[in-house]
Amino acid sequence: MAPVKRYAVGAGAGLAALVLLAGGVAWFGGGYDRWQSARLVTDVCDGVLPADEVRAVLGDRRLKAGKDTSEGSLDATTTSLRVTCGIARGADPHDGAHPGEATMTVTVNGVPTLDREDRRYESLYPPVRSTLPPAPLGQGWSGVFAMGHSSGEARATTSVLLDCSPGRGDLLVTVAVEGKKYLDDSPLDNPERRTAFARVATATAANASRRWNCDADLGEPPATVPLPVNEDEYVVPADAEGACSGVTARGKTVDRVWESGSGAAPIEECVLGGAKGTASRLTALYGPYAEGARHDAAEHTGKPHPSESGQRSGVLDEGDYWTSAECPGDDGPALFGLTGGHDDETQEAGADRAYALSVLKTFAERSAAAHGCAAPAAPTATTAP
């Protein structure tokens, strides 16, 4: 029987060695990277990042944490909530799904900002940069998806605004992703990638709502995310059905428009132009984005935005026309503006001004009504004193 026992012991030892070997291969072949990456994702941003959604965008290997800060709270009376974190992924030629470098920056902001004086010389909220109008996120979310390409990089920004229970303020979640060296030329043309990017923001928003007792009504996990408007996706003004609905043409100067789609969003845009390119831009800003615009205007000019002193419409120092409307809630008035339609000294100045005020009025009235706001003030060419 001894030989049998020795065989059994040898077989057991061999099996154990194989198990250890397999574990070592898994550990040194990527298991440790995946474990470390999963731990990193769940540790940053006060624990509100969705691990599965982040890994769907960045993968598992070589994730590194960037800036990670947290201050304030949603029910604070002096310091607003602001949580920021960054995650970076190095290039991996063996990872076919995520081959290039990428960075993800996530910010959770309490709205409105209480400590504005402490945040001079900086924007209150992360910008949503887009050459042409961003796309409403839809599917029960108040938010937008914007994208762009520059120097071989693809950039995508998703913002989600949560309407918290009364007395709690609101929450704004912004996720910005920049990536290099994807397998194709336009990675965001892939609907699966756009949806994966947006799901990081919506899942983070859901976690943040629970984490800070926001108790907001949440949308559904995005099943698809529309592409923002592209250069070749213009329509003639008469056919506009979204943000440019009702805006009229003006000869060859404005015979085509680029527009945000319909849907609840804190930012809406309508770009006017012709065959020679874009001429001017109509923008509607709600909640944090209107608040941020007022703050930025004061930083740039050294004096408060005219709306802070009770003016309801007029012309800013840069020559941009603007108007405002009162909206439900405590976020302050919505702002509507037209940039690029400045007064000049030509014979057409009077006609330019009349057209600019007319299209701003149409744009602002449609947007305000869609958001349940009061009628905007009639746009004027009055400069603030």
Side-chain angles (χ1 to χ4, degrees), residues 6 39 61 67 109 199 202 209 217 234 258 287 292-293 316:
R6 283 196 298 270
R39 182 176 179 181
R61 296 172 179 265
K67 182 180 180 181
N109 289 94
R199 282 193 170 202
T202 56
S209 180
D217 291 333
Y234 58 83
W258 296 258
L316 298 177

Side-chain angles (χ1 to χ4, degrees), residues 125-374:
Y125 306 103
V128 177
R129 294 189 177 95
S130 181
T131 305
L132 288 171
L137 201 53
Q139 296 161 101
W141 299 100
S142 174
V144 293
F145 180 83
M147 58 175 257
H149 297 86
S150 176
S151 302
E153 292 188 354
R155 301 192 309 273
T157 303
T158 309
S159 75
V160 177
L161 179 62
L162 297 182
D163 182 11
C164 300
S165 57
R168 303 287 302 166
D170 294 334
L171 280 175
L172 177 68
V173 174
T174 309
V175 176
V177 180
E178 294 190 8
K180 296 180 180 179
K181 299 179 181 177
Y182 279 87
L183 293 176
D184 50 41
D185 294 331
S186 301
L188 298 177
D189 286 346
N190 184 327
E192 292 184 0
R193 287 184 181 153
R194 289 199 308 276
T195 304
F197 287 11
R199 282 193 170 202
V200 176
T202 56
T204 299
N207 291 341
S209 180
R210 290 186 287 268
R211 166 70 176 79
W212 286 289
N213 300 316
C214 166
D215 196 27
D217 291 333
L218 305 176
E220 298 294 327
T224 184
V225 175
L227 274 169
V229 176
N230 208 343
E231 288 187 21
D232 60 355
E233 294 179 320
Y234 58 83
V235 297
V236 298
D239 292 340
E241 297 179 345
C244 297
S245 178
V247 170
T248 57
R250 185 168 188 255
K252 293 183 179 180
T253 305
V254 179
D255 61 6
R256 61 191 67 181
V257 296
W258 296 258
E259 60 180 347
S260 300
S262 57
I267 302 174
E268 295 180 2
E269 290 187 338
C270 168
V271 177
L272 314 177
K276 294 183 178 180
T278 60
S280 53
R281 179 185 299 255
L282 292 157
T283 305
L285 303 173
Y286 295 87
Y289 295 107
E291 178 195 358
R294 291 190 289 269
H295 174 80
D296 290 347
E299 291 298 309
H300 293 158
T301 64
K303 58 184 179 181
H305 188 279
S307 64
E308 304 275 16
S309 60
Q311 187 173 337
R312 297 189 61 203
S313 66
V315 183
L316 298 177
D317 289 351
E318 298 86 353
D320 299 335
Y321 298 103
W322 69 277
T323 186
S324 60
E326 295 297 325
C327 298
D330 302 323
D331 294 336
L335 291 181
F336 312 92
L338 172 68
T339 59
H342 305 162
D343 289 344
D344 55 36
E345 301 300 326
T346 68
Q347 291 182 339
E348 294 291 321
D352 289 343
R353 185 182 307 112
Y355 177 76
L357 296 176
S358 173
V359 295
L360 177 56
K361 181 176 186 293
T362 298
F363 171 80
E365 288 178 346
R366 181 212 57 78
S367 180
H371 284 259
C373 301

Side-chain angles (χ1 to χ4, degrees), residues 40-42 44-51 54 85 87 104 106 200 204 207:
L40 181 154
V41 171
T42 56
V44 299
C45 262
D46 267 11
V48 297
L49 290 192
V54 170
C85 62
I87 300 176
M104 177 184 293
V106 180
V200 176
T204 299
N207 291 341

